[in-house]
Amino acid sequence: MLAGIERLEDSDGSDHRMLRRMLRATAAVSLSEVEWIRRMRATGTVLQPRVSVVDGYVAGYIAQWRDAHSARLGPAITDLEVGTGLSLPDLRDGWEPDAHAVADAQIEWKLPRSVARSARETVLWADTELWAYGLADVRSFNEILAGVPSSERAVWRWAASRVSGVLALWSWRVEPDARGAFAVAAQEVGMSALAAGSRARPHIFRSPAPDLDKVAFALAQLCREVHDPSTEADLVGALITSIGAIIKAHRERGETARASSIYATAVGPLKWMEHDIRTTIPTSVIGCQLRLKHASPSQPS
């Protein structure tokens, strides 16, 4: 099955790859289904519900990625076609089964913008400290991951899902298409999460253990003009450590082809990115502050 999905992702056009990147990115940062719906639609993606004819319940989605420059719409793709781990039932595994949140999501699917957006979705931050905030999150995540036996497949699939989502978010920030180093790494690491239930949070990472939600929020809500090259490079290095742990688990299970593919496709290019970011000259945040009208506090609540 995995080989078939890999061939599919290789042969799919850019519309499919862009959509998968957006799905991974928005799922990683969203704390609920309704937030995910709004974030997806805010990117310009046309997202429609796939409704059960039996009871009217939203069982899936139909998505069309929209090119931000030309406004061209890609082909309509159902969640049954995007691959295991990105279908709506799989995405739902990553959110708490709160009855009120479930009801809100059903409303938002059918009546867009009927549920008010939360502050965490709209605030734009302009503080370089958010890079350090994200770095601490990944390092804490890696400390726990280091103690997980390679035999705990469900934990490693979940970890791959989370790391892939963070890489997709970074790609969305800086890469115009889904062929850049972050996008390709997100896709490759995501291959290790292609199983039903891969988004379900494992017991060892139960709250308040880190799940990369803080770094995901920073990447999603931090102004794109805001840079701290040294800390950003350290953050790439920390994510490489996360990927290295996933590779090690594959190797210990005898999955050498999967391990080698991740290393060649994700680790090598990201090491070059780490070097390039470290030598980047910081840019002005004036443009960001003009849009904000004021500087943001040092950390999100």
Side-chain angles (χ1 to χ4, degrees):
M1 182 191 73
L2 180 58
I5 294 172
E6 286 177 331
R7 286 194 297 272
L8 176 65
E9 291 223 353
D10 286 341
S11 62
D12 278 346
S14 60
D15 291 313
H16 288 70
R17 289 191 295 270
M18 294 293 282
L19 179 60
R20 288 192 183 101
R21 178 179 71 167
M22 198 59 65
L23 289 165
R24 289 182 175 113
T26 52
V29 70
S30 298
L31 300 183
S32 66
E33 183 175 344
V34 71
E35 180 182 341
W36 173 76
I37 296 168
R38 289 191 298 249
R39 284 187 182 276
M40 277 295 292
R41 286 173 171 163
T43 67
T45 301
V46 175
L47 191 67
Q48 300 293 337
R50 191 168 54 78
V51 180
S52 168
V53 296
V54 176
D55 56 11
Y57 184 74
V58 177
Y61 61 80
I62 304 168
Q64 290 177 276
W65 174 77
R66 187 190 300 276
D67 187 292
H69 301 290
S70 67
R72 180 187 63 84
L73 275 176
I77 303 170
T78 73
D79 63 325
L80 301 177
E81 300 172 301
V82 294
T84 306
L86 294 175
S87 71
L88 187 56
D90 288 330
L91 292 176
R92 282 172 172 161
D93 284 337
W95 300 310
E96 293 297 326
D98 176 80
H100 182 70
V102 170
D104 277 351
Q106 290 293 308
I107 293 171
E108 187 68 22
W109 273 115
K110 299 168 184 177
L111 298 170
R113 296 178 295 279
S114 56
V115 179
R117 295 172 71 187
S118 65
R120 63 175 268 111
E121 297 171 56
T122 57
V123 65
L124 192 62
W125 298 80
D127 197 317
T128 55
E129 286 188 20
L130 256 70
W131 288 112
Y133 190 63
L135 176 59
D137 187 37
V138 180
R139 284 175 170 169
S140 297
F141 176 84
N142 286 344
E143 287 176 5
I144 298 178
L145 200 60
V148 177
S150 60
S151 58
E152 295 287 342
R153 291 178 180 270
V155 179
W156 288 104
R157 286 171 182 151
W158 173 82
S161 174
R162 296 301 296 169
V163 173
S164 174
V166 169
L167 292 168
L169 273 164
W170 208 326
S171 172
W172 171 76
R173 282 180 63 88
V174 301
E175 295 172 343
D177 57 41
R179 289 295 193 184
F182 286 111
V184 173
Q187 176 176 304
E188 186 66 43
V189 174
M191 293 291 185
S192 294
L194 294 179
S198 62
R199 290 227 329 135
R201 187 166 181 159
H203 183 72
I204 193 172
F205 278 95
R206 68 189 184 278
S207 184
D211 67 350
L212 303 185
D213 62 329
K214 294 180 178 63
V215 67
F217 181 83
L219 288 168
Q221 303 301 133
L222 184 63
C223 248
R224 298 189 187 194
E225 295 93 337
V226 175
H227 293 286
D228 179 351
S230 177
T231 308
E232 288 177 64
D234 287 345
L235 180 52
V236 177
L239 289 170
I240 291 173
T241 299
S242 305
I243 297 169
I246 293 169
I247 291 172
K248 180 172 179 285
H250 278 300
R251 283 180 175 154
E252 289 180 353
R253 293 196 299 265
E255 298 159 359
T256 53
R258 179 94 278 272
S260 297
S261 181
I262 299 173
Y263 185 84
T265 309
V267 174
L270 286 179
K271 284 185 175 180
W272 280 107
M273 289 299 299
E274 179 184 7
H275 174 268
D276 288 348
I277 290 171
R278 198 175 297 280
T279 57
T280 299
I281 298 174
T283 56
S284 171
V285 300
I286 293 176
C288 178
Q289 291 174 339
L290 286 174
R291 293 204 307 278
L292 283 167
K293 305 301 184 189
H294 59 82
S296 57
S298 60
Q299 287 187 3
S301 57

